[in-house]
Amino acid sequence: MPTYIRLTDYNTSEAKEQGFFKPENRYTARQEDFEKIPGSPITYWLSDKFRVIFLELKREIGLLFCLFFQII
């Protein structure tokens, strides 16, 4: 599984270098997880729980859309 390192919170190259070695800046994500969000943005820092919530909301919104426009 790919590992991503988030260094966007650091302003200098020295700080980024120190942050590189901190475990809390490391994230892993499966490639197919990116495809679950429209446009496939790179959201490697999202937890699996958040991805599940997003998919559930996406399903609920789709159902509400269908009911509102009486598609089903």
Side-chain angles (χ1 to χ4, degrees), residues 21-52:
F21 296 103
K22 293 182 179 180
E24 62 266 20
N25 291 328
R26 295 188 181 274
Y27 299 87
T28 57
R30 293 177 300 276
Q31 188 67 34
E32 57 269 12
D33 286 341
F34 298 131
E35 298 168 0
K36 294 176 182 176
I37 299 175
S40 300
I42 297 177
T43 54
Y44 56 83
W45 60 90
L46 292 181
S47 67
D48 288 338
K49 185 176 180 178
F50 186 84
R51 285 187 192 92
V52 168

Side-chain angles (χ1 to χ4, degrees), residues 45-63:
W45 60 90
L46 292 181
S47 67
D48 288 338
K49 185 176 180 178
F50 186 84
R51 285 187 192 92
V52 168
I53 290 170
F54 179 83
L55 290 174
E56 289 173 359
L57 285 174
K58 182 179 168 184
R59 200 170 18 253
E60 294 293 323
I61 290 170
L63 179 59

Side-chain angles (χ1 to χ4, degrees), residues 5-7 10 12-26:
I5 303 168
R6 184 181 171 103
L7 300 174
Y10 302 99
T12 66
S13 59
E14 291 84 13
K16 287 180 188 287
E17 185 175 348
Q18 291 175 356
F20 181 84
F21 296 103
K22 293 182 179 180
E24 62 266 20
N25 291 328
R26 295 188 181 274

